[in-house]
Amino acid sequence: MTRSAAIELGQFLKTRRAELTPRTVGLPDSAAHRRVPGLRREEVAMLAAISTDYYTRLEQGRMQVSEPVLSAIARVLRLNEDQRAPARPAGPRRP
């Protein structure tokens, strides 16, 4: 994955995260004011079983994503196959 592809992935993740609410992913709505629309980074990270720092670096385009992590994030963000395809890590494809 090139640097520009990593940045595009990060923008996509951020946009998709903003489209979801805690309720849509099974989290309780909190009475606390949310500074950003949608899910917080730490909520996505917790649900994907990765660290908040790791998820933050992915959104910032500073890391490449592995297939298992991408699968976990895709599940949390409710991505379909078309949305996942551009983010798949480069490398040998399985037949």
Side-chain angles (χ1 to χ4, degrees):
M1 179 181 291
T2 65
R3 174 81 172 132
S4 63
I7 291 170
E8 285 181 38
L9 172 62
Q11 285 293 70
F12 175 76
L13 293 175
K14 186 175 182 178
T15 300
R16 181 63 180 153
R17 179 171 57 86
E19 294 171 352
L20 299 173
T21 65
R23 181 176 289 177
T24 61
V25 297
L27 294 174
D29 286 328
S30 70
H33 174 72
R34 297 179 84 81
R35 292 181 5 180
V36 296
L39 296 174
R40 295 179 174 126
R41 285 177 175 161
E42 53 270 14
E43 291 168 334
V44 174
M46 176 192 66
L47 293 169
I50 60 175
S51 73
T52 301
D53 182 58
Y54 186 90
Y55 182 79
T56 299
R57 287 183 279 146
L58 284 174
E59 262 196 19
Q60 292 172 344
R62 298 189 297 147
M63 293 201 60
Q64 293 185 10
V65 64
S66 68
E67 186 66 36
V69 170
L70 178 62
S71 292
I73 293 170
R75 178 184 43 79
V76 172
L77 296 180
R78 312 235 168 138
L79 303 180
N80 63 36
E81 279 300 311
D82 291 337
Q83 292 168 317
R84 267 185 74 169
R88 283 202 172 89
R93 299 282 181 200
R94 294 185 183 121

